[in-house]
Amino acid sequence: MEDILIRCVSNDGSIRLFCCTTTKIVEEARVIHNTYPVATAALGRMLTAGSMMGTMLKSEKDSITLQINGKGPIGSIIVVSDISGDVRGYVANPYVDLGPNAQGKLDVGGAVGTDGTFTVIKDLGLKEPYVGQVPIVNGEIGDDIASYFVYSEQTPTAVALGVKLAKTGAVDAAGGFIVQVMPDADEKTIDLLENNVLSIKSVTDIISENGIKGLLDRVMNNIEYTVHEEKKISYRCNCNRNRLEKALIALGKEDIKEIIEEQGQAELVCHFCNKKYMFNKEELEDILNKAING
Ligand SMILES: [Zn+2]
């Protein structure tokens, strides 16, 4: 089944909700990066949030990068998305092997660690990118993202992200929601929303049973709303030979010369999709010429 993202607003305008299923996206990430269970869950939560935050952007040319690093065994997790909600990402160490946490769940907080920051970089086509950064709350990612919205964007926000795995380690269900309260929100609506959010124990159970519509109904239970957008989302990398050629040119002529002399060829691997790009000697010499002549 395709992954779906829905954006809706309560009819009184006081609440905006993003929710999505990312089962296929997270499974694709797991296969690409060969992640162990706790890394699948951590990367999956980041990809789910990244997709929703991508669709918050205004222009097709904008992009958003989320990064978390709490000095835990997983190292950095990086995801990139844009207004399409399509997303890609990777973790520094996909082979993290941790036992369950005190609640018997995959120990995402333990893998990420809490000694560090959660960072959002938005490339909005301006001279400098927007950078927002908050200290990590607990490394579970959902709370860290909620904290980012509260402190960096001054928007009260609840975030729930879930990844449920089968015994084989494959992704059974994944998805989540980001719900935000606007400044002029009515007390009654806020109370309703709070009750709805608190009543949700597991987003992945809801997704498994009733899909994206089930999740939407639970968050917006007893609140009138209008769906503004519903679309398919997927794991998508936009790497190509031209981009990697530019990366090689950016190394500078000395480094390119060294590669030609010492290796005679170069193999570059995309971090996001593991696609390999080979450059032979002639191609590298061509790239060297471009580096010399600008
Ligand atoms: Zn790629």
Side-chain angles (χ1 to χ4, degrees), residues 8-10 12-18 56 145-146 149-151 153-159 177-198 219-220 223:
C8 73
V9 176
S10 64
D12 68 358
S14 62
I15 291 167
R16 71 168 183 166
L17 169 71
F18 299 81
M56 294 177 188
I145 288 170
F149 279 110
V150 172
Y151 293 105
E153 300 201 355
Q154 286 83 42
T155 310
T157 303
V159 180
F177 64 83
I178 297 178
V179 64
Q180 304 191 306
V181 177
M182 298 299 116
D184 53 354
D186 168 81
E187 285 290 329
K188 248 196 223 156
T189 317
I190 296 176
D191 284 348
L192 275 173
L193 179 68
E194 259 179 21
N195 280 331
N196 294 348
V197 169
L198 289 173
V219 181
M220 297 303 263
I223 301 169

Side-chain angles (χ1 to χ4, degrees), residues 69-87:
N69 189 338
K71 300 198 176 74
I74 203 168
S76 282
I77 309 173
I78 292 171
V79 308
V80 181
S81 183
D82 57 33
I83 200 168
S84 71
D86 290 346
V87 65

Side-chain angles (χ1 to χ4, degrees), residues 1-266:
M1 215 161 47
E2 298 290 340
D3 290 326
I4 302 285
L5 186 146
I6 291 177
R7 182 167 62 85
C8 73
V9 176
S10 64
N11 287 355
D12 68 358
S14 62
I15 291 167
R16 71 168 183 166
L17 169 71
F18 299 81
C19 62
C20 63
T21 57
T22 51
T23 310
K24 220 176 145 184
I25 289 173
V26 182
E27 174 62 10
E28 193 165 341
R30 182 188 74 84
V31 170
I32 289 170
H33 300 296
N34 196 20
T35 44
Y36 282 19
V38 72
T40 309
L43 178 58
R45 290 183 197 177
M46 285 284 280
L47 288 165
T48 303
S51 174
M52 291 187 279
M53 290 172 74
T55 61
M56 294 177 188
L57 294 167
K58 300 280 186 290
S59 154
E60 274 173 28
K61 289 179 191 147
D62 299 347
S63 72
I64 186 166
T65 302
L66 313 184
Q67 185 177 0
I68 194 164
N69 189 338
K71 300 198 176 74
I74 203 168
S76 282
I77 309 173
I78 292 171
V79 308
V80 181
S81 183
D82 57 33
I83 200 168
S84 71
D86 290 346
V87 65
R88 60 188 185 273
Y90 64 90
V91 305
N93 176 16
Y95 311 122
V96 189
D97 200 4
L98 284 182
N101 64 15
Q103 289 78 43
K105 300 253 173 78
L106 288 168
D107 191 5
V108 171
V112 171
T114 54
D115 180 14
T117 48
F118 172 72
T119 308
V120 174
I121 302 158
K122 290 185 207 171
D123 185 346
L124 308 174
L126 305 169
K127 213 189 267 171
E128 299 287 332
Y130 160 91
V131 181
Q133 195 167 61
V134 289
I136 291 175
V137 177
N138 57 15
E140 295 284 336
I141 297 167
D143 292 340
D144 302 302
I145 288 170
S147 165
Y148 162 78
F149 279 110
V150 172
Y151 293 105
S152 231
E153 300 201 355
Q154 286 83 42
T155 310
T157 303
V159 180
L161 307 167
V163 175
K164 186 167 70 178
L165 304 182
K167 286 218 164 64
T168 58
V171 180
D172 221 17
F177 64 83
I178 297 178
V179 64
Q180 304 191 306
V181 177
M182 298 299 116
D184 53 354
D186 168 81
E187 285 290 329
K188 248 196 223 156
T189 317
I190 296 176
D191 284 348
L192 275 173
L193 179 68
E194 259 179 21
N195 280 331
N196 294 348
V197 169
L198 289 173
S199 81
I200 295 172
K201 299 288 171 256
S202 162
V203 289
T204 47
D205 285 351
I206 297 171
I207 289 168
S208 295
E209 282 162 30
N210 298 310
I212 187 70
K213 290 280 160 51
L215 186 58
L216 179 58
D217 285 345
R218 282 291 293 275
V219 181
M220 297 303 263
N221 187 30
N222 291 321
I223 301 169
E224 285 183 36
Y225 63 88
T226 305
V227 171
H228 287 253
E229 191 177 23
E230 175 168 351
K231 62 182 169 190
K232 287 179 190 166
I233 49 172
S234 56
Y235 191 97
R236 180 168 54 85
C237 188
N238 61 356
C239 68
N240 58 44
R241 215 177 156 76
N242 198 14
R243 248 168 219 262
L244 287 162
E245 189 179 305
K246 278 187 187 141
L248 278 169
I249 293 169
L251 284 177
K253 55 187 179 185
E254 295 308 322
D255 282 10
I256 302 169
K257 262 187 211 159
E258 205 176 295
I259 295 170
I260 295 171
E261 278 159 20
E262 289 177 9
Q263 297 162 40
Q265 59 178 23

Side-chain angles (χ1 to χ4, degrees), residues 88 237-240 244 269-275 277:
R88 60 188 185 273
C237 188
N238 61 356
C239 68
N240 58 44
L244 287 162
V269 181
C270 173
H271 281 311
F272 292 100
C273 69
N274 279 348
K275 193 171 169 188
Y277 292 86

